[in-house]
Short mmCIF file of all heavy atoms in Angstrom, two decimals:
data_model
loop_
_atom_site.label_atom_id
_atom_site.label_comp_id
_atom_site.label_asym_id
_atom_site.label_seq_id
_atom_site.Cartn_x
_atom_site.Cartn_y
_atom_site.Cartn_z
N PRO C 104 86.66 83.96 193.98
CA PRO C 104 86.90 85.39 193.93
C PRO C 104 86.34 85.98 192.52
O PRO C 104 86.24 85.27 191.48
CB PRO C 104 88.53 85.44 193.80
CG PRO C 104 88.90 84.13 194.44
CD PRO C 104 87.86 83.14 194.07
N VAL C 109 77.88 92.48 191.30
CA VAL C 109 76.68 93.28 191.00
C VAL C 109 75.62 92.92 192.02
O VAL C 109 75.27 91.76 192.11
CB VAL C 109 76.22 93.03 189.56
CG1 VAL C 109 74.93 93.80 189.28
CG2 VAL C 109 77.29 93.32 188.58
N CYS C 189 75.78 105.98 187.46
CA CYS C 189 76.50 106.87 188.35
C CYS C 189 77.77 106.27 188.94
O CYS C 189 77.76 105.22 189.50
CB CYS C 189 75.53 107.26 189.46
SG CYS C 189 76.10 108.50 190.56
N TYR C 267 86.87 95.06 149.47
CA TYR C 267 85.53 95.49 149.15
C TYR C 267 85.48 96.99 148.75
O TYR C 267 84.63 97.47 148.10
CB TYR C 267 84.61 95.26 150.37
CG TYR C 267 84.97 95.91 151.61
CD1 TYR C 267 84.80 97.33 151.89
CD2 TYR C 267 85.73 95.19 152.58
CE1 TYR C 267 85.17 97.85 153.02
CE2 TYR C 267 86.14 95.74 153.66
CZ TYR C 267 85.90 97.08 153.88
OH TYR C 267 86.35 97.66 155.14
N SER C 280 87.78 85.37 138.85
CA SER C 280 87.21 84.01 138.74
C SER C 280 87.60 83.25 137.55
O SER C 280 87.58 82.02 137.43
CB SER C 280 85.67 84.06 138.93
OG SER C 280 85.06 84.51 137.72
#
Side-chain angles (χ1 to χ4, degrees):
V109 179
C189 182
Y267 56 83
S280 75

